């Protein structure tokens, strides 16, 4: 018959008191150093949540990553605005917008949906993404760390008065200020969306040609770090 007695666990020696600073083994140091590039690359967009704010003619602007529990109603309403729906193709029930946002939020960090806040008030929706890791890279000569942006102005009362131009310049500056490995900001607005193309041109982007993407013919717009001081 098996015993039901339990044995006392063996005593564990108390750790010795530290007598001086500890030194990592050289192999451990090499391992840590070897991991640094991988750790840096793991954050594919250099944490837009920490980019801070920038001044524009319309006020202080910053990007705030979308939270579904807080922002889904607002983004859904914007997506159902007819002027937005004509180019985003996301008009419909809240579940459609939720699926679009969740695919990015739960993804690998290569695309981050954000609200654009002007003096603390949400006025725009943005997607900041790694263009060089996106299917877009098959359609243009991509460079490592190219950063793409998508934009919509949420309230129709804010459209047509230059706000888009000011915010595009602000976001491009935020990207270049906070992503030192990025040499270019990329955008691909629908060529039919004349106000959007004009806003990109007015904010320092240059048109480099038209490209055929699934669902649209786009104007490939590029803002170069090297030309930043000139435009």
């Amino acid at each position: 018959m098996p015993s039901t007695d339990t044995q006392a666990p063996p005593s564990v020696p108390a750790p010795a008191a530290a007598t001086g600073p500890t030194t990592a083994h050289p192999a451990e140091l090499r391992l840590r150093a070897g991991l640094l590039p991988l750790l840096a690359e793991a954050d594919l967009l250099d944490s837009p949540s920490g980019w801070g704010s920038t001044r524009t003619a319309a006020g202080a602007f910053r990007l705030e990553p979308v939270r579904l529990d807080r922002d889904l109603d607002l983004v859904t309403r914007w997506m159902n605005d007819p002027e937005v729906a004509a180019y985003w193709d996301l008009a419909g029930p809240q579940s459609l917008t939720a699926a679009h946002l969740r695919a990015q939020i739960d993804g690998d960090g290569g695309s981050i949906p954000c609200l654009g806040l002007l003096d603390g008030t949400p006025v725009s929706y943005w997607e900041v993404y790694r263009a060089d890791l996106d299917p877009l890279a098959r359609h243009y000569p991509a460079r490592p760390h190219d950063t793409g942006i998508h934009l919509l102005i949420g309230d129709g009362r804010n459209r047509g008065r230059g706000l888009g131009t000011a915010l595009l310049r602000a976001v491009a500056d935020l990207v270049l200020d906070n992503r030192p490995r990025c040499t270019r900001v990329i955008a691909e607005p629908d060529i039919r969306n004349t106000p959007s193309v004009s806003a990109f041109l007015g904010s320092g982007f240059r048109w480099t040609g038209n490209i055929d993407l699934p669902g649209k013919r786009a104007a490939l717009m590029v803002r170069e770090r090297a030309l930043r001081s000139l435009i």
Side-chain angles (χ1 to χ4, degrees):
M1 177 176 181
S3 170
T4 58
D5 294 339
T6 58
Q7 294 181 331
S11 60
V12 179
T19 57
T22 59
T23 303
H25 190 278
E28 183 181 354
L29 290 175
R30 287 195 299 273
L31 179 62
R32 290 177 186 171
L35 284 174
L36 289 177
L38 298 177
L39 293 172
E41 189 65 22
D43 185 352
L44 295 178
L45 284 163
D46 301 304
S47 303
S49 60
W51 288 358
S53 64
T54 186
R55 295 298 306 179
T56 75
F61 177 84
R62 67 183 176 89
L63 292 173
E64 176 73 26
V66 165
R67 282 181 18 207
L68 282 178
D69 59 338
R70 178 192 64 194
D71 305 321
L72 181 56
D73 286 348
L74 176 63
V75 179
T76 299
R77 186 165 70 250
W78 287 349
M79 290 299 183
N80 279 277
D81 181 307
E83 291 185 43
V84 171
Y87 299 105
W88 283 76
D89 199 25
L90 284 171
Q94 191 176 81
S95 58
L96 183 63
T97 303
H100 178 78
L101 296 173
R102 191 172 288 113
Q104 298 173 81
I105 294 170
D106 295 341
D108 63 2
S111 180
I112 298 180
C114 297
L115 293 182
L117 277 62
L118 197 57
D119 290 334
T121 300
V123 298
S124 52
Y125 169 77
W126 299 78
E127 291 172 355
V128 183
Y129 68 98
R130 280 288 295 271
D132 61 320
L133 303 180
D134 188 82
L136 174 65
R138 304 182 194 129
H139 301 272
Y140 82 104
R143 297 179 191 168
H145 299 283
D146 276 355
T147 304
I149 54 176
H150 297 141
L151 157 73
L152 69 85
I153 302 295
D155 189 333
R157 292 172 296 181
N158 287 324
R159 299 177 197 139
R161 58 184 186 89
L163 182 61
T165 300
L167 298 188
L168 281 168
R169 183 177 289 275
V171 170
D173 284 342
L174 283 171
V175 170
L176 296 173
D177 285 342
N178 292 281
R179 301 209 66 235
R181 295 171 292 179
C182 169
T183 62
R184 303 188 301 180
V185 183
I186 306 295
E188 19 76 39
D190 193 306
I191 61 171
R192 299 171 300 163
N193 192 348
T194 304
S196 179
V197 174
S198 296
F200 278 103
L201 291 171
S203 59
F205 286 75
R206 62 187 178 89
W207 174 81
T208 63
N210 294 333
I211 54 176
D212 291 311
L213 301 176
K216 70 177 181 181
R217 186 163 174 78
L220 183 65
M221 313 297 295
V222 177
R223 186 168 181 208
E224 300 266 5
R225 179 186 294 278
L227 301 177
R228 187 178 181 186
S229 62
L230 304 177
I231 50 180

